[in-house]
Amino acid sequence: MASISETSGEFGVAMGMAAMGSLATFVHRTGLDGDLPAGLPGDAASAAREGLTAAVATAEHLAGRLGAELLDSARTAFTGGLNAVALTGAVVFLTLAVAAALILRDTAARDGAAGD
């Protein structure tokens, strides 16, 4: 029985990481697509969509202002992804906290009524 509990806990963590990572990637790519600097070569845009590290590496190889604009866009999109994950996590946490409080309150009320 303990192995099932342990496995379900690990599965929950893995699914949470996958879901939150997918959300962060979606928000990052969506934000970056709408904010790429004009005149950016197609291969540079594709590389920048891969993630912040790829965008930084790509920006280093671009001339002057174009590289700085790409870096700014990539950082803004990455921060947007992190903010979306933080907000989603906070909402999930608060929802579970309220559900736990309600369930425990109902359980305590039933136990108190049964003891009378």
Side-chain angles (χ1 to χ4, degrees), residues 21-63:
S22 296
L23 174 63
T25 300
F26 173 76
V27 171
H28 174 262
R29 286 186 180 166
T30 303
L32 193 58
D33 285 343
D35 198 28
L36 285 173
L40 190 66
D43 59 337
S46 295
R49 285 185 189 95
E50 293 301 314
L52 184 60
T53 305
V56 170
T58 302
E60 289 175 354
H61 297 294
L62 294 174

PDB file of all heavy atoms in Angstrom, residues 21-63:
ATOM      1  N   GLY A  21       5.231  23.223 -17.068  1.00  0.00           N
ATOM      2  CA  GLY A  21       6.246  23.464 -18.087  1.00  0.00           C
ATOM      3  C   GLY A  21       5.627  23.729 -19.447  1.00  0.00           C
ATOM      4  O   GLY A  21       6.082  24.609 -20.193  1.00  0.00           O
ATOM      5  N   SER A  22       4.580  22.997 -19.768  1.00  0.00           N
ATOM      6  CA  SER A  22       3.873  23.211 -21.037  1.00  0.00           C
ATOM      7  C   SER A  22       3.210  24.580 -21.060  1.00  0.00           C
ATOM      8  O   SER A  22       3.232  25.272 -22.083  1.00  0.00           O
ATOM      9  CB  SER A  22       2.822  22.124 -21.248  1.00  0.00           C
ATOM     10  OG  SER A  22       3.440  20.867 -21.379  1.00  0.00           O
ATOM     11  N   LEU A  23       2.620  24.972 -19.939  1.00  0.00           N
ATOM     12  CA  LEU A  23       2.008  26.296 -19.850  1.00  0.00           C
ATOM     13  C   LEU A  23       3.052  27.387 -20.038  1.00  0.00           C
ATOM     14  O   LEU A  23       2.834  28.340 -20.789  1.00  0.00           O
ATOM     15  CB  LEU A  23       1.295  26.466 -18.506  1.00  0.00           C
ATOM     16  CG  LEU A  23       0.721  27.856 -18.224  1.00  0.00           C
ATOM     17  CD1 LEU A  23      -0.366  28.198 -19.242  1.00  0.00           C
ATOM     18  CD2 LEU A  23       0.184  27.924 -16.806  1.00  0.00           C
ATOM     19  N   ALA A  24       4.190  27.259 -19.367  1.00  0.00           N
ATOM     20  CA  ALA A  24       5.256  28.260 -19.488  1.00  0.00           C
ATOM     21  C   ALA A  24       5.756  28.344 -20.927  1.00  0.00           C
ATOM     22  O   ALA A  24       5.961  29.447 -21.461  1.00  0.00           O
ATOM     23  CB  ALA A  24       6.406  27.926 -18.552  1.00  0.00           C
ATOM     24  N   THR A  25       5.942  27.211 -21.573  1.00  0.00           N
ATOM     25  CA  THR A  25       6.405  27.192 -22.961  1.00  0.00           C
ATOM     26  C   THR A  25       5.378  27.824 -23.888  1.00  0.00           C
ATOM     27  O   THR A  25       5.725  28.617 -24.772  1.00  0.00           O
ATOM     28  CB  THR A  25       6.695  25.750 -23.412  1.00  0.00           C
ATOM     29  OG1 THR A  25       7.704  25.210 -22.556  1.00  0.00           O
ATOM     30  CG2 THR A  25       7.149  25.693 -24.847  1.00  0.00           C
ATOM     31  N   PHE A  26       4.112  27.515 -23.689  1.00  0.00           N
ATOM     32  CA  PHE A  26       3.047  28.096 -24.511  1.00  0.00           C
ATOM     33  C   PHE A  26       3.017  29.612 -24.377  1.00  0.00           C
ATOM     34  O   PHE A  26       2.964  30.329 -25.379  1.00  0.00           O
ATOM     35  CB  PHE A  26       1.692  27.485 -24.129  1.00  0.00           C
ATOM     36  CG  PHE A  26       0.534  28.143 -24.818  1.00  0.00           C
ATOM     37  CD1 PHE A  26       0.277  27.871 -26.153  1.00  0.00           C
ATOM     38  CD2 PHE A  26      -0.269  29.039 -24.145  1.00  0.00           C
ATOM     39  CE1 PHE A  26      -0.786  28.493 -26.805  1.00  0.00           C
ATOM     40  CE2 PHE A  26      -1.336  29.659 -24.785  1.00  0.00           C
ATOM     41  CZ  PHE A  26      -1.593  29.387 -26.117  1.00  0.00           C
ATOM     42  N   VAL A  27       3.029  30.103 -23.151  1.00  0.00           N
ATOM     43  CA  VAL A  27       2.980  31.552 -22.928  1.00  0.00           C
ATOM     44  C   VAL A  27       4.231  32.220 -23.486  1.00  0.00           C
ATOM     45  O   VAL A  27       4.159  33.282 -24.111  1.00  0.00           O
ATOM     46  CB  VAL A  27       2.792  31.872 -21.426  1.00  0.00           C
ATOM     47  CG1 VAL A  27       2.946  33.357 -21.153  1.00  0.00           C
ATOM     48  CG2 VAL A  27       1.427  31.386 -20.958  1.00  0.00           C
ATOM     49  N   HIS A  28       5.387  31.590 -23.304  1.00  0.00           N
ATOM     50  CA  HIS A  28       6.642  32.142 -23.824  1.00  0.00           C
ATOM     51  C   HIS A  28       6.595  32.261 -25.337  1.00  0.00           C
ATOM     52  O   HIS A  28       6.893  33.318 -25.900  1.00  0.00           O
ATOM     53  CB  HIS A  28       7.814  31.263 -23.393  1.00  0.00           C
ATOM     54  CG  HIS A  28       9.119  31.668 -23.985  1.00  0.00           C
ATOM     55  ND1 HIS A  28       9.643  31.053 -25.100  1.00  0.00           N
ATOM     56  CD2 HIS A  28       9.996  32.639 -23.642  1.00  0.00           C
ATOM     57  CE1 HIS A  28      10.797  31.625 -25.406  1.00  0.00           C
ATOM     58  NE2 HIS A  28      11.030  32.584 -24.543  1.00  0.00           N
ATOM     59  N   ARG A  29       6.225  31.192 -26.015  1.00  0.00           N
ATOM     60  CA  ARG A  29       6.205  31.214 -27.484  1.00  0.00           C
ATOM     61  C   ARG A  29       5.145  32.163 -28.019  1.00  0.00           C
ATOM     62  O   ARG A  29       5.372  32.874 -28.997  1.00  0.00           O
ATOM     63  CB  ARG A  29       5.984  29.818 -28.037  1.00  0.00           C
ATOM     64  CG  ARG A  29       7.213  28.959 -27.906  1.00  0.00           C
ATOM     65  CD  ARG A  29       7.057  27.629 -28.572  1.00  0.00           C
ATOM     66  NE  ARG A  29       8.286  26.856 -28.409  1.00  0.00           N
ATOM     67  CZ  ARG A  29       8.377  25.573 -28.651  1.00  0.00           C
ATOM     68  NH1 ARG A  29       7.324  24.900 -29.066  1.00  0.00           N
ATOM     69  NH2 ARG A  29       9.521  24.950 -28.472  1.00  0.00           N
ATOM     70  N   THR A  30       3.983  32.194 -27.383  1.00  0.00           N
ATOM     71  CA  THR A  30       2.927  33.100 -27.819  1.00  0.00           C
ATOM     72  C   THR A  30       3.358  34.551 -27.639  1.00  0.00           C
ATOM     73  O   THR A  30       3.163  35.374 -28.534  1.00  0.00           O
ATOM     74  CB  THR A  30       1.632  32.828 -27.025  1.00  0.00           C
ATOM     75  OG1 THR A  30       1.254  31.463 -27.200  1.00  0.00           O
ATOM     76  CG2 THR A  30       0.504  33.731 -27.488  1.00  0.00           C
ATOM     77  N   GLY A  31       3.944  34.853 -26.500  1.00  0.00           N
ATOM     78  CA  GLY A  31       4.414  36.214 -26.251  1.00  0.00           C
ATOM     79  C   GLY A  31       5.538  36.612 -27.170  1.00  0.00           C
ATOM     80  O   GLY A  31       5.610  37.756 -27.639  1.00  0.00           O
ATOM     81  N   LEU A  32       6.410  35.689 -27.462  1.00  0.00           N
ATOM     82  CA  LEU A  32       7.553  35.983 -28.331  1.00  0.00           C
ATOM     83  C   LEU A  32       7.101  36.175 -29.774  1.00  0.00           C
ATOM     84  O   LEU A  32       7.600  37.065 -30.472  1.00  0.00           O
ATOM     85  CB  LEU A  32       8.580  34.857 -28.239  1.00  0.00           C
ATOM     86  CG  LEU A  32       9.956  35.137 -28.825  1.00  0.00           C
ATOM     87  CD1 LEU A  32      10.577  36.356 -28.165  1.00  0.00           C
ATOM     88  CD2 LEU A  32      10.848  33.939 -28.647  1.00  0.00           C
ATOM     89  N   ASP A  33       6.138  35.375 -30.223  1.00  0.00           N
ATOM     90  CA  ASP A  33       5.653  35.505 -31.603  1.00  0.00           C
ATOM     91  C   ASP A  33       5.071  36.889 -31.862  1.00  0.00           C
ATOM     92  O   ASP A  33       5.225  37.429 -32.947  1.00  0.00           O
ATOM     93  CB  ASP A  33       4.603  34.432 -31.907  1.00  0.00           C
ATOM     94  CG  ASP A  33       5.214  33.058 -32.107  1.00  0.00           C
ATOM     95  OD1 ASP A  33       6.435  32.981 -32.338  1.00  0.00           O
ATOM     96  OD2 ASP A  33       4.464  32.074 -32.021  1.00  0.00           O
ATOM     97  N   GLY A  34       4.412  37.447 -30.877  1.00  0.00           N
ATOM     98  CA  GLY A  34       3.800  38.756 -31.054  1.00  0.00           C
ATOM     99  C   GLY A  34       4.756  39.914 -30.841  1.00  0.00           C
ATOM    100  O   GLY A  34       4.388  41.063 -31.058  1.00  0.00           O
ATOM    101  N   ASP A  35       5.981  39.632 -30.430  1.00  0.00           N
ATOM    102  CA  ASP A  35       6.886  40.712 -30.039  1.00  0.00           C
ATOM    103  C   ASP A  35       8.275  40.600 -30.666  1.00  0.00           C
ATOM    104  O   ASP A  35       9.206  41.255 -30.225  1.00  0.00           O
ATOM    105  CB  ASP A  35       7.015  40.733 -28.511  1.00  0.00           C
ATOM    106  CG  ASP A  35       7.566  42.043 -27.979  1.00  0.00           C
ATOM    107  OD1 ASP A  35       7.359  43.078 -28.638  1.00  0.00           O
ATOM    108  OD2 ASP A  35       8.199  42.022 -26.909  1.00  0.00           O
ATOM    109  N   LEU A  36       8.424  39.776 -31.692  1.00  0.00           N
ATOM    110  CA  LEU A  36       9.728  39.659 -32.347  1.00  0.00           C
ATOM    111  C   LEU A  36      10.036  40.948 -33.105  1.00  0.00           C
ATOM    112  O   LEU A  36       9.148  41.537 -33.720  1.00  0.00           O
ATOM    113  CB  LEU A  36       9.745  38.474 -33.305  1.00  0.00           C
ATOM    114  CG  LEU A  36       9.829  37.100 -32.659  1.00  0.00           C
ATOM    115  CD1 LEU A  36       9.671  36.012 -33.713  1.00  0.00           C
ATOM    116  CD2 LEU A  36      11.134  36.924 -31.910  1.00  0.00           C
ATOM    117  N   PRO A  37      11.278  41.397 -33.069  1.00  0.00           N
ATOM    118  CA  PRO A  37      11.627  42.641 -33.766  1.00  0.00           C
ATOM    119  C   PRO A  37      11.516  42.489 -35.285  1.00  0.00           C
ATOM    120  O   PRO A  37      11.741  41.408 -35.833  1.00  0.00           O
ATOM    121  CB  PRO A  37      13.075  42.911 -33.337  1.00  0.00           C
ATOM    122  CG  PRO A  37      13.582  41.645 -32.778  1.00  0.00           C
ATOM    123  CD  PRO A  37      12.404  40.838 -32.340  1.00  0.00           C
ATOM    124  N   ALA A  38      11.167  43.586 -35.938  1.00  0.00           N
ATOM    125  CA  ALA A  38      11.059  43.594 -37.399  1.00  0.00           C
ATOM    126  C   ALA A  38      12.447  43.415 -38.002  1.00  0.00           C
ATOM    127  O   ALA A  38      13.439  43.905 -37.467  1.00  0.00           O
ATOM    128  CB  ALA A  38      10.446  44.912 -37.857  1.00  0.00           C
ATOM    129  N   GLY A  39      12.504  42.700 -39.100  1.00  0.00           N
ATOM    130  CA  GLY A  39      13.767  42.484 -39.786  1.00  0.00           C
ATOM    131  C   GLY A  39      14.578  41.316 -39.268  1.00  0.00           C
ATOM    132  O   GLY A  39      15.715  41.111 -39.688  1.00  0.00           O
ATOM    133  N   LEU A  40      13.999  40.539 -38.374  1.00  0.00           N
ATOM    134  CA  LEU A  40      14.700  39.384 -37.811  1.00  0.00           C
ATOM    135  C   LEU A  40      14.707  38.251 -38.833  1.00  0.00           C
ATOM    136  O   LEU A  40      13.658  37.887 -39.367  1.00  0.00           O
ATOM    137  CB  LEU A  40      14.013  38.931 -36.524  1.00  0.00           C
ATOM    138  CG  LEU A  40      14.716  37.894 -35.676  1.00  0.00           C
ATOM    139  CD1 LEU A  40      16.010  38.479 -35.096  1.00  0.00           C
ATOM    140  CD2 LEU A  40      13.812  37.433 -34.547  1.00  0.00           C
ATOM    141  N   PRO A  41      15.872  37.683 -39.151  1.00  0.00           N
ATOM    142  CA  PRO A  41      15.914  36.558 -40.100  1.00  0.00           C
ATOM    143  C   PRO A  41      15.087  35.375 -39.590  1.00  0.00           C
ATOM    144  O   PRO A  41      14.953  35.163 -38.384  1.00  0.00           O
ATOM    145  CB  PRO A  41      17.397  36.189 -40.152  1.00  0.00           C
ATOM    146  CG  PRO A  41      18.135  37.362 -39.620  1.00  0.00           C
ATOM    147  CD  PRO A  41      17.195  38.049 -38.676  1.00  0.00           C
ATOM    148  N   GLY A  42      14.533  34.605 -40.526  1.00  0.00           N
ATOM    149  CA  GLY A  42      13.670  33.476 -40.172  1.00  0.00           C
ATOM    150  C   GLY A  42      14.345  32.439 -39.303  1.00  0.00           C
ATOM    151  O   GLY A  42      13.736  31.919 -38.367  1.00  0.00           O
ATOM    152  N   ASP A  43      15.611  32.132 -39.580  1.00  0.00           N
ATOM    153  CA  ASP A  43      16.304  31.133 -38.770  1.00  0.00           C
ATOM    154  C   ASP A  43      16.559  31.646 -37.356  1.00  0.00           C
ATOM    155  O   ASP A  43      16.527  30.884 -36.394  1.00  0.00           O
ATOM    156  CB  ASP A  43      17.602  30.686 -39.432  1.00  0.00           C
ATOM    157  CG  ASP A  43      18.575  31.837 -39.680  1.00  0.00           C
ATOM    158  OD1 ASP A  43      18.126  32.997 -39.759  1.00  0.00           O
ATOM    159  OD2 ASP A  43      19.783  31.563 -39.795  1.00  0.00           O
ATOM    160  N   ALA A  44      16.780  32.949 -37.216  1.00  0.00           N
ATOM    161  CA  ALA A  44      16.973  33.531 -35.881  1.00  0.00           C
ATOM    162  C   ALA A  44      15.671  33.504 -35.092  1.00  0.00           C
ATOM    163  O   ALA A  44      15.670  33.234 -33.888  1.00  0.00           O
ATOM    164  CB  ALA A  44      17.501  34.963 -35.996  1.00  0.00           C
ATOM    165  N   ALA A  45      14.561  33.770 -35.761  1.00  0.00           N
ATOM    166  CA  ALA A  45      13.255  33.725 -35.093  1.00  0.00           C
ATOM    167  C   ALA A  45      12.936  32.304 -34.635  1.00  0.00           C
ATOM    168  O   ALA A  45      12.460  32.097 -33.511  1.00  0.00           O
ATOM    169  CB  ALA A  45      12.173  34.238 -36.031  1.00  0.00           C
ATOM    170  N   SER A  46      13.219  31.333 -35.477  1.00  0.00           N
ATOM    171  CA  SER A  46      12.977  29.929 -35.107  1.00  0.00           C
ATOM    172  C   SER A  46      13.828  29.520 -33.914  1.00  0.00           C
ATOM    173  O   SER A  46      13.354  28.852 -32.999  1.00  0.00           O
ATOM    174  CB  SER A  46      13.284  29.008 -36.283  1.00  0.00           C
ATOM    175  OG  SER A  46      12.397  29.244 -37.332  1.00  0.00           O
ATOM    176  N   ALA A  47      15.080  29.915 -33.918  1.00  0.00           N
ATOM    177  CA  ALA A  47      15.972  29.582 -32.813  1.00  0.00           C
ATOM    178  C   ALA A  47      15.515  30.257 -31.526  1.00  0.00           C
ATOM    179  O   ALA A  47      15.541  29.646 -30.452  1.00  0.00           O
ATOM    180  CB  ALA A  47      17.402  29.995 -33.144  1.00  0.00           C
ATOM    181  N   ALA A  48      15.061  31.497 -31.621  1.00  0.00           N
ATOM    182  CA  ALA A  48      14.625  32.231 -30.427  1.00  0.00           C
ATOM    183  C   ALA A  48      13.389  31.598 -29.791  1.00  0.00           C
ATOM    184  O   ALA A  48      13.206  31.670 -28.576  1.00  0.00           O
ATOM    185  CB  ALA A  48      14.341  33.682 -30.781  1.00  0.00           C
ATOM    186  N   ARG A  49      12.537  30.960 -30.595  1.00  0.00           N
ATOM    187  CA  ARG A  49      11.327  30.318 -30.074  1.00  0.00           C
ATOM    188  C   ARG A  49      11.628  29.071 -29.247  1.00  0.00           C
ATOM    189  O   ARG A  49      10.780  28.592 -28.520  1.00  0.00           O
ATOM    190  CB  ARG A  49      10.402  29.953 -31.225  1.00  0.00           C
ATOM    191  CG  ARG A  49       9.691  31.136 -31.802  1.00  0.00           C
ATOM    192  CD  ARG A  49       8.677  30.694 -32.864  1.00  0.00           C
ATOM    193  NE  ARG A  49       8.150  31.845 -33.546  1.00  0.00           N
ATOM    194  CZ  ARG A  49       8.618  32.318 -34.697  1.00  0.00           C
ATOM    195  NH1 ARG A  49       9.622  31.718 -35.304  1.00  0.00           N
ATOM    196  NH2 ARG A  49       8.073  33.369 -35.260  1.00  0.00           N
ATOM    197  N   GLU A  50      12.832  28.543 -29.361  1.00  0.00           N
ATOM    198  CA  GLU A  50      13.197  27.321 -28.640  1.00  0.00           C
ATOM    199  C   GLU A  50      13.314  27.529 -27.143  1.00  0.00           C
ATOM    200  O   GLU A  50      13.157  26.608 -26.365  1.00  0.00           O
ATOM    201  CB  GLU A  50      14.503  26.754 -29.190  1.00  0.00           C
ATOM    202  CG  GLU A  50      14.396  26.232 -30.599  1.00  0.00           C
ATOM    203  CD  GLU A  50      13.365  25.120 -30.726  1.00  0.00           C
ATOM    204  OE1 GLU A  50      13.353  24.207 -29.891  1.00  0.00           O
ATOM    205  OE2 GLU A  50      12.569  25.191 -31.674  1.00  0.00           O
ATOM    206  N   GLY A  51      13.614  28.730 -26.706  1.00  0.00           N
ATOM    207  CA  GLY A  51      13.741  29.008 -25.281  1.00  0.00           C
ATOM    208  C   GLY A  51      14.641  30.207 -25.044  1.00  0.00           C
ATOM    209  O   GLY A  51      15.240  30.758 -25.980  1.00  0.00           O
ATOM    210  N   LEU A  52      14.756  30.598 -23.805  1.00  0.00           N
ATOM    211  CA  LEU A  52      15.536  31.784 -23.462  1.00  0.00           C
ATOM    212  C   LEU A  52      17.011  31.595 -23.787  1.00  0.00           C
ATOM    213  O   LEU A  52      17.659  32.509 -24.315  1.00  0.00           O
ATOM    214  CB  LEU A  52      15.352  32.127 -21.984  1.00  0.00           C
ATOM    215  CG  LEU A  52      16.029  33.406 -21.509  1.00  0.00           C
ATOM    216  CD1 LEU A  52      15.502  34.618 -22.275  1.00  0.00           C
ATOM    217  CD2 LEU A  52      15.832  33.595 -20.024  1.00  0.00           C
ATOM    218  N   THR A  53      17.557  30.441 -23.509  1.00  0.00           N
ATOM    219  CA  THR A  53      18.972  30.196 -23.779  1.00  0.00           C
ATOM    220  C   THR A  53      19.273  30.324 -25.264  1.00  0.00           C
ATOM    221  O   THR A  53      20.263  30.958 -25.659  1.00  0.00           O
ATOM    222  CB  THR A  53      19.378  28.797 -23.278  1.00  0.00           C
ATOM    223  OG1 THR A  53      19.044  28.689 -21.896  1.00  0.00           O
ATOM    224  CG2 THR A  53      20.850  28.553 -23.471  1.00  0.00           C
ATOM    225  N   ALA A  54      18.421  29.746 -26.091  1.00  0.00           N
ATOM    226  CA  ALA A  54      18.613  29.838 -27.546  1.00  0.00           C
ATOM    227  C   ALA A  54      18.442  31.276 -28.024  1.00  0.00           C
ATOM    228  O   ALA A  54      19.166  31.728 -28.917  1.00  0.00           O
ATOM    229  CB  ALA A  54      17.635  28.923 -28.266  1.00  0.00           C
ATOM    230  N   ALA A  55      17.503  32.000 -27.434  1.00  0.00           N
ATOM    231  CA  ALA A  55      17.297  33.398 -27.828  1.00  0.00           C
ATOM    232  C   ALA A  55      18.507  34.249 -27.468  1.00  0.00           C
ATOM    233  O   ALA A  55      18.920  35.117 -28.246  1.00  0.00           O
ATOM    234  CB  ALA A  55      16.044  33.948 -27.158  1.00  0.00           C
ATOM    235  N   VAL A  56      19.098  34.016 -26.296  1.00  0.00           N
ATOM    236  CA  VAL A  56      20.292  34.764 -25.888  1.00  0.00           C
ATOM    237  C   VAL A  56      21.446  34.456 -26.835  1.00  0.00           C
ATOM    238  O   VAL A  56      22.160  35.369 -27.282  1.00  0.00           O
ATOM    239  CB  VAL A  56      20.665  34.450 -24.421  1.00  0.00           C
ATOM    240  CG1 VAL A  56      22.030  35.016 -24.068  1.00  0.00           C
ATOM    241  CG2 VAL A  56      19.600  34.995 -23.473  1.00  0.00           C
ATOM    242  N   ALA A  57      21.628  33.189 -27.160  1.00  0.00           N
ATOM    243  CA  ALA A  57      22.708  32.805 -28.075  1.00  0.00           C
ATOM    244  C   ALA A  57      22.496  33.409 -29.456  1.00  0.00           C
ATOM    245  O   ALA A  57      23.449  33.881 -30.094  1.00  0.00           O
ATOM    246  CB  ALA A  57      22.800  31.286 -28.172  1.00  0.00           C
ATOM    247  N   THR A  58      21.250  33.437 -29.907  1.00  0.00           N
ATOM    248  CA  THR A  58      20.938  34.022 -31.208  1.00  0.00           C
ATOM    249  C   THR A  58      21.166  35.530 -31.192  1.00  0.00           C
ATOM    250  O   THR A  58      21.724  36.093 -32.137  1.00  0.00           O
ATOM    251  CB  THR A  58      19.481  33.714 -31.602  1.00  0.00           C
ATOM    252  OG1 THR A  58      19.296  32.303 -31.624  1.00  0.00           O
ATOM    253  CG2 THR A  58      19.131  34.285 -32.953  1.00  0.00           C
ATOM    254  N   ALA A  59      20.753  36.191 -30.125  1.00  0.00           N
ATOM    255  CA  ALA A  59      20.906  37.645 -30.011  1.00  0.00           C
ATOM    256  C   ALA A  59      22.373  38.058 -30.025  1.00  0.00           C
ATOM    257  O   ALA A  59      22.720  39.126 -30.541  1.00  0.00           O
ATOM    258  CB  ALA A  59      20.225  38.142 -28.745  1.00  0.00           C
ATOM    259  N   GLU A  60      23.243  37.222 -29.486  1.00  0.00           N
ATOM    260  CA  GLU A  60      24.674  37.532 -29.468  1.00  0.00           C
ATOM    261  C   GLU A  60      25.267  37.575 -30.876  1.00  0.00           C
ATOM    262  O   GLU A  60      26.249  38.268 -31.111  1.00  0.00           O
ATOM    263  CB  GLU A  60      25.425  36.500 -28.626  1.00  0.00           C
ATOM    264  CG  GLU A  60      25.166  36.625 -27.149  1.00  0.00           C
ATOM    265  CD  GLU A  60      25.826  35.523 -26.337  1.00  0.00           C
ATOM    266  OE1 GLU A  60      26.408  34.583 -26.936  1.00  0.00           O
ATOM    267  OE2 GLU A  60      25.756  35.594 -25.105  1.00  0.00           O
ATOM    268  N   HIS A  61      24.649  36.861 -31.812  1.00  0.00           N
ATOM    269  CA  HIS A  61      25.168  36.790 -33.178  1.00  0.00           C
ATOM    270  C   HIS A  61      24.521  37.812 -34.111  1.00  0.00           C
ATOM    271  O   HIS A  61      24.892  37.881 -35.284  1.00  0.00           O
ATOM    272  CB  HIS A  61      24.992  35.382 -33.742  1.00  0.00           C
ATOM    273  CG  HIS A  61      25.757  34.351 -32.992  1.00  0.00           C
ATOM    274  ND1 HIS A  61      27.133  34.315 -32.954  1.00  0.00           N
ATOM    275  CD2 HIS A  61      25.335  33.332 -32.199  1.00  0.00           C
ATOM    276  CE1 HIS A  61      27.525  33.306 -32.187  1.00  0.00           C
ATOM    277  NE2 HIS A  61      26.452  32.691 -31.721  1.00  0.00           N
ATOM    278  N   LEU A  62      23.557  38.564 -33.599  1.00  0.00           N
ATOM    279  CA  LEU A  62      22.904  39.566 -34.438  1.00  0.00           C
ATOM    280  C   LEU A  62      23.581  40.920 -34.259  1.00  0.00           C
ATOM    281  O   LEU A  62      24.098  41.239 -33.186  1.00  0.00           O
ATOM    282  CB  LEU A  62      21.420  39.677 -34.078  1.00  0.00           C
ATOM    283  CG  LEU A  62      20.587  38.441 -34.378  1.00  0.00           C
ATOM    284  CD1 LEU A  62      19.177  38.614 -33.843  1.00  0.00           C
ATOM    285  CD2 LEU A  62      20.550  38.168 -35.872  1.00  0.00           C
ATOM    286  N   ALA A  63      23.512  41.718 -35.285  1.00  0.00           N
ATOM    287  CA  ALA A  63      24.181  43.018 -35.267  1.00  0.00           C
ATOM    288  C   ALA A  63      23.369  44.057 -34.491  1.00  0.00           C
ATOM    289  O   ALA A  63      22.165  44.165 -34.657  1.00  0.00           O
ATOM    290  CB  ALA A  63      24.392  43.495 -36.696  1.00  0.00           C
TER     291      ALA A  63
END
